[in-house]
Amino acid sequence: MSGERQEVLTAEEAARYLRVGERTLRRMLREGRLPGRKVGREWRIAREALDRYLKERPEGGETP
């Protein structure tokens, strides 16, 4: 373990980062299309996971 902390985003921040609506982002999280964790009633998403999602998504593939 390197001791580095992962940057963790709220659903609102992650939606802005991906440039999608917050409703769309929450639906993608619920459906398991995006990785995230619920902390209480709120979603938390690692920025690293969003970057990985963007890199692995095929060009011209499914839209969020």
Side-chain angles (χ1 to χ4, degrees):
M1 200 178 210
S2 68
E4 282 187 41
R5 296 187 98 185
Q6 258 189 16
E7 184 175 2
V8 177
L9 306 176
T10 64
E12 180 182 359
E13 292 166 333
R16 244 191 340 261
Y17 184 69
L18 293 178
R19 298 183 183 198
V20 298
E22 199 170 335
R23 274 181 140 174
T24 299
L25 181 104
R26 289 179 192 276
R27 184 178 65 242
M28 293 171 73
L29 288 163
R30 280 193 312 273
E31 292 172 353
R33 292 169 40 202
L34 273 179
R37 296 266 190 258
K38 284 239 38 204
V39 177
R41 297 174 69 185
E42 300 293 323
W43 285 98
R44 296 293 183 264
I45 306 98
R47 183 184 298 265
E48 182 180 303
L50 295 178
D51 290 338
R52 198 168 37 251
Y53 168 80
L54 290 172
K55 286 178 187 173
E56 293 172 356
R57 191 168 148 228
E59 292 286 326
E62 167 187 299
T63 57

